[in-house]
Amino acid sequence: MTTARRPGMTRSAATAVTTALSALALLWITDLLARDDPSLAGGPLGTAAWWGTAVTLVLQSVALLRSHFRATVTLGCVAGLSLVLAAVFPSGLFTVTALPVLVGAFLAGLTGAWRDVRRWALASGVLVATAHFVNGSADGRTGGSALVMQAVLQAALVVGLPLLPASVIAAQRATRAAQQEMLAAATRERDAKVSEAIALERAAMARELHDIAAHHLSGISLMASVVARQTASAPGEARSGALEIRKQSNAILDDLRRLVGLLRDVGHEDEGVKTLDTLPHLIETARITGARVDFDLRSDERREPGAGVSPLGQLAAYRMVQESLTNASRHAPGVPCVVTVDDRDPHRLRITVRNAPPGQRARPASRGTGYGIIGMRERAALIGGSFDAGPTNDNGWETRMSIPRESGHDIPERPA
């Protein structure tokens, strides 16, 4: 016996026992009422009709034990037992057999497929109507046409009425199951996309690491072999080779630090390439939100703005301005800000973001965490630059970043 079927069998057993006890209690109450109302009499306690009804109720309840397997077939069996009782022991106690049929109809509508439920409900209704007609005919107190109407009404109430709430509950269960399946499918799809993205990111990182390290490590290996042979014969050349190995090792470390810095920037909402050329768009976006920001570009007419500044340096500059404007809007909302890019120094690029002191009515939107300043300082250190931030003489706030230009590169001049 599988574990999955045990809960269903347990529920069916509980339903069968409860139905049997309730039906037998109703039979006993009916016998008590019949002592004061002879019209309810169907057979005193202990007669064949009474015992026949009690046995039928027990058999109907036992049939409900299989409701977890085929509830529709169970409904037909329970209704058929009512017809057998009406044919063998017709009496006024027959009405009590409607209780197990009610339970069977409800279980069939709750757990059965609607196509099977319709077929078995119709068959069970016919059995219940026939049983009521047979029992009433044996009684002889009701006319033929009236008895037919009562039989049809009995079948509609006993079989059809429980199907309505059961069908509604079954439909709600099916809807919840479909929603959970859709949610599970969406979750699986999301996990698959995440796994694919991680795999692609790992492949990109592997290629980047290969490009960074392969050339330098190959050269280091060759130079180390040469140095090993020249240690005794040519100490001076061996020393020069060792210094070159050190230079190449430092180059690898610098490139790896830059790669780590780029990886740390993954996850921002704007994933495009950020340079000094995109600063005006950033400032315009801040103005759209209501900020008062001025942009001051001080460039050398002999070269293009930002010439000689590495892509990582330009990204650091962009993030510094972005974070500074965010801090200004958080701690001094509504005050004017000035973004200054000084590109006149041939060796360094200097960027300053300054905001006026907050007014007396200005209230900071939030206190912040302080990680923005730390992040800007770390970005500056990553590219060999410097960063500083602090209050101004007029109680405003200023952030300053200095970014070195790449050494060993010719800075192109602006075309005439």
Side-chain angles (χ1 to χ4, degrees), residues 265 268-275 278 315 318-319:
D265 282 333
H268 291 283
E269 295 179 357
D270 46 345
E271 298 295 338
V273 178
K274 305 305 180 184
T275 64
T278 60
L315 175 62
Y318 181 92
R319 296 300 185 198

Side-chain angles (χ1 to χ4, degrees), residues 26-72:
L26 184 60
L27 178 63
W28 180 68
I29 292 173
T30 303
D31 181 73
L32 292 178
L33 294 176
R35 299 176 184 178
D36 299 328
D37 187 358
S39 62
L40 298 176
L45 180 64
T47 62
W50 192 94
W51 281 110
T53 304
V55 171
T56 301
L57 293 175
V58 172
L59 292 177
Q60 288 177 317
S61 301
V62 171
L64 293 176
L65 288 172
R66 302 291 294 174
S67 61
H68 70 282
F69 182 66
R70 288 292 299 274
T72 52

Side-chain angles (χ1 to χ4, degrees), residues 274-297:
K274 305 305 180 184
T275 64
L276 294 177
D277 294 335
T278 60
L279 279 180
H281 177 71
L282 172 64
I283 294 173
E284 186 62 28
T285 303
R287 290 171 179 169
I288 293 175
T289 61
R292 299 162 57 187
V293 185
D294 293 328
F295 181 57
D296 183 13
L297 176 60

Side-chain angles (χ1 to χ4, degrees), residues 56-220:
T56 301
L57 293 175
V58 172
L59 292 177
Q60 288 177 317
S61 301
V62 171
L64 293 176
L65 288 172
R66 302 291 294 174
S67 61
H68 70 282
F69 182 66
R70 288 292 299 274
T72 52
V73 177
T74 300
L75 173 60
C77 294
V78 173
L81 288 172
S82 298
L83 179 58
V84 173
L85 175 65
V88 179
F89 298 108
S91 67
L93 300 176
F94 167 79
T95 308
V96 182
T97 60
L99 178 60
V101 179
L102 279 166
V103 176
F106 182 81
L107 294 176
L110 191 65
T111 60
W114 180 241
R115 182 178 58 184
D116 297 335
V117 170
R118 286 185 301 176
R119 183 171 63 251
W120 283 95
L122 179 60
S124 301
V126 173
L127 290 175
V128 171
T130 304
H132 186 81
F133 183 81
V134 171
N135 187 80
S137 298
D139 190 4
R141 290 181 294 178
T142 306
S145 59
L147 184 59
V148 171
M149 293 297 297
Q150 290 180 6
V152 174
L153 182 61
Q154 178 82 358
L157 292 177
V158 174
V159 179
L161 187 61
L163 292 177
L164 295 178
S167 300
V168 173
I169 296 174
Q172 292 176 348
R173 286 182 175 180
T175 301
R176 287 195 297 267
Q179 292 175 347
Q180 292 176 356
E181 181 62 27
M182 292 177 59
L183 180 61
T187 302
R188 290 193 297 268
E189 182 180 1
R190 182 200 62 190
D191 293 342
K193 290 182 178 180
V194 170
S195 299
E196 182 181 1
I198 291 175
L200 293 175
E201 187 67 23
R202 287 178 176 175
M205 291 172 61
R207 289 193 298 269
E208 188 71 18
L209 288 171
H210 177 271
D211 294 340
I212 288 175
H215 174 72
H216 293 295
L217 291 178
S218 298
I220 289 174

Side-chain angles (χ1 to χ4, degrees), residues 5 12 19 24 28 88 102 158 186 218 225 229 248 251 255-256 288 301 317 339 356 401:
R5 293 176 57 183
S12 298
T19 303
L24 291 175
W28 180 68
V88 179
L102 279 166
V158 174
S218 298
S225 300
R229 291 194 297 267
Q248 293 290 337
D255 290 340
L256 289 177
I288 293 175
E301 297 180 354
V339 178
M401 180 177 287

